[in-house]
Amino acid sequence: MSAFIAGFRGVLDRAGVTYGMFGHADVGCVHVRPALDLTDPAQQSMIRQITDDVADLVAKHGGILWGEHGRGFRGDPVEKFLPPATVAIMRQVKSAFDPDDLLNPGKLYRPTDSATPLTRVDEPALRGDADRTVPVSIRNDYRHAFACNGNGLCMHYGAAEVMCPSYKATGDPALSPKGRVDLLRAWLAADAAGTPSDNFTDQLAANLHQCLSCSACAGHCPVEVDIPELKSRFLESYHRTRKRPLSHAVLSRFEQLAMLAARSPRLAGLGTGAAGAALGLVDLPAPSPLPPGATPIATFDPNAPTDVVIMPDVFTGALDRATMHAAAEALQAVGQSVSVAAFVPSGKFDHVKGQRAAFAKAVQAQAKAVAAIERAGAIPIVIEPAVALLHTHEYPAADSAFPSGHVRHLVDVLHDRIDHVPVSSSPRHVRLLGHCTERATRPVSLQKWREVLEAAGHTVEAPELGCCGMAGIFGHEKDNQKMSADLWHLSWHEATHQADATLVATGYSCRSQAKRMAALAISHPVALL
Ligand code: SF4
Ligand code: SF4
């Protein structure tokens, strides 16, 4: 093995190629990934020479070159490894079962009566051939689509896996991250050639409409293929020539409207159903009233700053105000003075629907709001994980100057002062249900919640769960109802119907889904502190 590997490294080093090498030493199997940029014709042309050199090396060491992964065009040098009599028998087998050479033609053996040579490794069209037709600037804009290496990790059925809910719910490969980037690259190549049909473009839009924008791919794909970002860019382009539904305009202002409506929640609740029906949205949540007896939280004053300043998000600022008040009380209980800043929309729904100019404005406004709090010497925090995570992901992706990571998650501040967490007088057995975006992109948050709850005297179990099926606006869209319900039953139903535990969930979407799917009132974990 060592002599073979040294020889292999010599082949790659002489070609000036970097590579990853791994394998199974016990059976003498080596997998090698030369890092070739196949959009560069000069690098693509190295495939044959490297393959021929490696085939000679393999033959010298008495091994065999195999096509276990990839597309399998590795049969061409087979006669270097196997004696002619063996090859002849294999060709007879091929003739017996596939006389017309229909199955994987040209890959390993031709039927006995065929004079056609096997296909050489660089003869079939390669992905690089199509990819290089897309202008470099577009390839950069959609770089996640070109980064996919096709390993298929995103096509997982496990109910507890976070990636990918739309694939798990349907079993349709086109609705996995891999399927989506394959389609996007094909569409970009057709667009570059000026040939994308309306039908193809509309089908791609329909496919992406079924993506929950949960970001599980961005967190769990080995090369961080980020479908929500690609979807956002595609939808921006798509709606340059196609009218947007009215719901997009409403969603663009949903956060401001909800905050406004929270001032008069009863009145707002009356109109929610009718407005949703008109817009193709179902089960829209109404703003919640202030919890009875809640002490108002001080307003942020830059001249008299508190230790921490809550940047309100629409979920805990309007739809679940009890959680914001519980957060303020918990922060005070660990010795932090607290105030709440003026509301600034997060722009999340603009990102989801590809309204990127409006999203860019939200990013700027958020950067200003963070800077104002930090100038005053306070720590900005966000309660809702899906919104807090925008500060480390979508915002910096939209603006590289954005102060990424300056906003802290609520649990970070509580965990920093874990020794000050008051012990509960009524300890419970708690089942902590994590938000899928948080699980995929920042699992440390759930570990911290567990430790903070344990410091308060609770016992905690935190089952591995997939997406609940809500994911912000996805579960409210009329045409997504089946998938939303299927995902609830696949991943959350069982965990929420086992007895003997107090359920808490970090995500507003998940709490909202539990309410409508199972009439369960689940609290945020901070309510137990
Ligand atoms: S999207 Fe990611 S996980 Fe899925 S096949 Fe591509 S590289 Fe693999
Ligand atoms: S965002 Fe979620 S639903 Fe969409 S492709 Fe990624 S993992 Fe799948």
Side-chain angles (χ1 to χ4, degrees):
M1 274 288 274
S2 61
F4 171 69
I5 288 172
F8 206 140
R9 296 184 68 168
V11 168
L12 295 170
D13 290 344
R14 278 193 296 283
V17 173
T18 55
Y19 51 89
M21 189 178 269
F22 45 98
H24 316 271
D26 58 336
V27 289
C29 171
V30 184
H31 301 284
V32 183
R33 295 245 169 190
L36 291 171
D37 176 1
L38 298 185
T39 60
D40 175 358
Q43 294 192 48
Q44 183 171 318
S45 69
M46 295 162 79
I47 291 176
R48 179 177 291 198
Q49 189 58 56
I50 291 174
T51 304
D52 287 349
D53 289 350
V54 171
D56 288 342
L57 187 71
V58 169
K60 185 175 143 193
H61 288 274
I64 190 160
L65 187 70
W66 206 246
E68 185 188 4
H69 300 296
R71 295 188 300 170
F73 290 105
R74 293 286 187 276
D76 169 51
V78 75
E79 293 189 20
K80 290 183 182 176
F81 318 125
L82 299 180
T86 305
V87 174
I89 291 170
M90 296 306 285
R91 292 187 68 176
Q92 286 168 19
V93 173
K94 177 79 171 172
S95 297
F97 288 96
D98 184 20
D100 297 324
D101 202 10
L102 298 176
L103 306 174
N104 280 324
K107 287 195 174 173
L108 274 181
Y109 305 100
R110 296 282 189 195
T112 310
D113 58 1
S114 170
T116 311
L118 290 168
T119 307
R120 300 208 65 181
V121 66
D122 58 348
E123 283 175 357
L126 294 172
R127 203 177 101 183
D129 296 329
D131 287 359
R132 87 169 65 95
T133 65
V134 179
V136 173
S137 63
I138 306 284
R139 267 190 259 155
N140 286 339
D141 283 350
Y142 287 83
R143 64 184 179 285
H144 294 286
F146 294 89
C148 170
N149 60 32
N151 67 65
L153 190 68
C154 50
M155 295 201 269
H156 204 296
Y157 287 105
E161 287 293 323
V162 286
M163 177 171 73
C164 153
S166 56
Y167 173 70
K168 277 195 301 184
T170 60
D172 181 351
L175 298 182
S176 69
K178 180 179 187 299
R180 291 188 164 118
V181 291
D182 285 349
L183 289 170
L184 267 162
R185 285 195 314 275
W187 180 79
L188 288 169
D191 193 48
T195 57
S197 70
D198 282 350
N199 190 24
F200 182 19
T201 308
D202 291 342
Q203 280 181 6
L204 181 52
N207 174 310
L208 292 172
H209 180 67
Q210 294 174 79
C211 161
L212 291 91
S213 294
C214 68
S215 291
C217 42
H220 271 202
C221 160
V223 291
E224 298 173 0
V225 163
D226 184 343
I227 299 294
E229 181 66 22
L230 293 167
K231 171 182 169 181
S232 181
R233 288 175 185 273
F234 171 81
L235 288 179
E236 179 189 44
S237 158
Y238 182 74
H239 286 297
R240 276 194 201 118
T241 52
R242 289 162 178 85
K243 204 164 177 274
R244 285 184 178 274
L246 181 60
S247 61
H248 288 200
V250 175
L251 285 173
S252 189
R253 286 169 190 77
F254 177 80
E255 295 181 71
Q256 295 95 317
L257 290 171
M259 291 299 287
L260 207 59
R263 292 183 192 166
S264 176
R266 284 223 177 92
L267 209 60
L270 294 177
T272 308
L279 297 167
L281 302 170
V282 297
D283 299 333
L284 279 182
S288 69
L290 266 183
T295 317
I297 310 169
T299 302
F300 168 56
D301 175 356
N303 297 313
T306 46
D307 297 323
V308 297
V309 178
I310 298 173
M311 295 179 70
D313 56 80
V314 67
F315 304 104
T316 55
L319 305 176
D320 177 14
R321 293 157 90 190
T323 290
M324 184 185 287
H325 279 265
E329 283 173 11
L331 287 163
Q332 284 158 354
V334 297
Q336 298 289 283
S337 55
V338 184
S339 59
V340 60
F343 175 70
V344 178
S346 73
K348 182 162 178 59
F349 300 127
D350 285 324
H351 184 266
V352 169
K353 295 300 177 190
Q355 307 195 90
R356 295 182 67 84
F359 180 64
K361 279 188 193 158
V363 177
Q364 295 304 316
Q366 288 284 338
K368 267 191 199 163
V370 172
I373 295 169
E374 290 192 320
R375 258 198 315 276
I379 299 170
I381 68 162
V382 171
I383 299 171
E384 174 62 27
V387 177
L389 288 166
L390 293 170
H391 287 256
T392 43
H393 195 68
E394 284 84 350
Y395 293 166
D399 176 4
S400 57
F402 187 85
S404 175
H406 286 220
V407 153
R408 304 202 75 203
H409 293 234
L410 167 64
V411 74
D412 295 341
V413 179
L414 295 171
H415 193 267
D416 284 352
R417 301 182 63 81
I418 198 162
D419 293 343
H420 297 76
V421 171
V423 175
S424 169
S425 56
S426 52
R428 320 246 186 113
H429 179 64
V430 176
R431 188 168 300 129
L432 172 64
L433 309 169
H435 190 291
C436 61
T437 307
E438 196 175 31
R439 266 195 68 205
T441 61
R442 198 179 192 264
V444 70
S445 288
L446 291 169
Q447 181 57 30
K448 286 183 177 182
W449 273 121
R450 174 195 276 270
E451 289 166 14
V452 167
L453 290 168
E454 286 172 348
H458 304 294
T459 57
V460 182
E461 58 174 286
E464 302 278 298
L465 292 178
C467 175
C468 71
M470 179 57 85
I473 200 63
F474 178 90
H476 292 299
E477 290 175 320
K478 203 171 170 186
D479 40 4
N480 292 331
Q481 291 313 294
K482 181 176 180 322
M483 196 191 294
S484 180
D486 287 350
L487 285 168
W488 169 265
H489 289 288
L490 181 70
S491 298
W492 276 60
H493 176 82
E494 195 181 329
T496 51
H497 285 79
Q498 291 162 355
D500 302 332
T502 299
L503 302 175
V504 292
T506 53
Y508 174 78
S509 285
C510 322
R511 300 194 295 276
S512 176
Q513 180 81 323
K515 192 170 166 190
R516 71 170 189 156
M517 288 290 157
L520 285 170
I522 299 182
S523 300
H524 189 282
V526 79
L528 295 185
L529 297 180

